[in-house]
Amino acid sequence: MKEWGIENKVFTITVDNASSNDLAIRYMKDTIQRSRTLACEGNLFHIRCCAHILNLCVQDGLREIEDIISNIRENVEYVNRSEARRMQFIECVQQLQLKDKRLIRDCKTRWNSTFEMLSCALKFKEVFQMFKERDHFYGCCPQEEEWNKAQKICSLLEAFWIATHIISGSEYSTSNLFLQEVQKIKPSLDTYAQHEDLFLKQLTSKMKEKFDKYWGDYASKHISKVKEIINSLYEKYVAEETNKGAPHPSESESFGFSNVKRNQQSSVYSWDDFDVVQKLKLRRLRDLNW
């Protein structure tokens, strides 16, 4: 950071939740803090990687159907190992008049790649059955129960896949997007955790436990801290304006509202908790370049 000349410009650092990272970031924070250059007294310096946490949640779920995933993956690999098999598979696809033509291989270490492989394979469920009748050496076609479980896990993971896709973008800012995307996952997990289907209920319970541990303790504290910081900045702004002799209107008048109603709904996961007044204070400070 010194070589780049940014040691006095660091606001936050995002890493995964490995214990070695915790120690390194703590040392770095103490070092930088000696020159008192950390914004907000360093309260928001260490941020856990959102995509990494989502990955851990999903991996817990995928372990529950590891055998099914391996079986479907083997089917995909079997077809793609030979050009003759691929052509025979395509003929089955054409006979069934399906739009999609190709199977997708996955990277075992990337869950979103596995999700895409499963979602694609599900579209060819009938094709695999037809392919089995034509290829006498093919004997690992998934059973109907396995396809059904794969369909259920894909319906659950879709919200995770969308959120990860958005917040892992590399050509646009993501810090302003992650909270709104991740909080959409919460209702989905709550719904599936109470599902009448025992398989989905057991699958979701482990994912929800990890999700709640992170977002219940970590995200809610940061939302509270951000609100506290905005209040503090706004109070300093008001104090400076008052010292200049400028009249200080009431909160509602200063924002052009006759009646600002605060959202009393309590939820540690919802962006709504970051209420109207906080947003307006932040907007006023930004507009004044304060």
Side-chain angles (χ1 to χ4, degrees), residues 10-29:
V10 178
F11 180 58
T12 64
I13 291 182
T14 304
V15 293
D16 63 30
N17 63 343
S19 57
S20 56
N21 282 336
D22 292 341
L23 181 61
I25 296 299
R26 186 159 54 246
Y27 174 79
M28 185 182 298
K29 178 181 176 181

Side-chain angles (χ1 to χ4, degrees), residues 76-177:
V76 174
E77 291 294 331
Y78 179 85
V79 172
N80 284 321
R81 283 194 197 111
S82 164
E83 183 63 25
R85 292 173 191 165
R86 279 198 296 270
M87 295 305 299
Q88 193 172 33
F89 191 87
I90 290 175
E91 289 178 6
C92 295
V93 172
Q94 292 173 342
Q95 284 193 0
L96 292 173
Q97 298 182 346
L98 299 179
K99 294 181 179 179
D100 296 278
K101 304 296 182 183
R102 295 175 178 272
L103 292 167
I104 298 177
R105 288 175 167 173
D106 73 321
C107 175
K108 297 180 181 180
T109 58
R110 293 176 54 219
W111 76 265
N112 51 328
S113 174
T114 300
F115 167 80
E116 292 165 3
M117 181 271 291
L118 289 176
S119 298
C120 179
L122 282 165
K123 298 177 183 178
F124 296 103
K125 183 172 70 171
E126 295 180 8
V127 180
F128 278 109
Q129 189 62 40
M130 182 182 290
F131 181 75
K132 180 181 179 181
E133 296 172 359
R134 300 187 180 187
D135 188 330
H136 301 294
F137 296 100
Y138 175 58
C140 58
C141 185
Q143 302 297 316
E144 185 65 26
E145 182 182 358
E146 293 178 310
W147 286 120
N148 289 338
K149 288 185 177 180
Q151 180 66 60
K152 291 174 182 178
I153 189 68
C154 284
S155 63
L156 171 60
L157 295 184
E158 185 175 6
F160 283 86
W161 183 85
I162 293 174
T164 300
H165 183 72
I166 292 175
I167 64 180
S168 298
S170 59
E171 298 181 356
Y172 55 87
S173 299
T174 57
S175 59
N176 59 314
L177 300 174

Side-chain angles (χ1 to χ4, degrees), residues 32 57 72 106 109 175 224 236 265 270:
I32 299 177
C57 292
I72 295 177
D106 73 321
T109 58
S175 59
S224 176
K236 291 180 180 179
Q265 185 177 5
S270 177

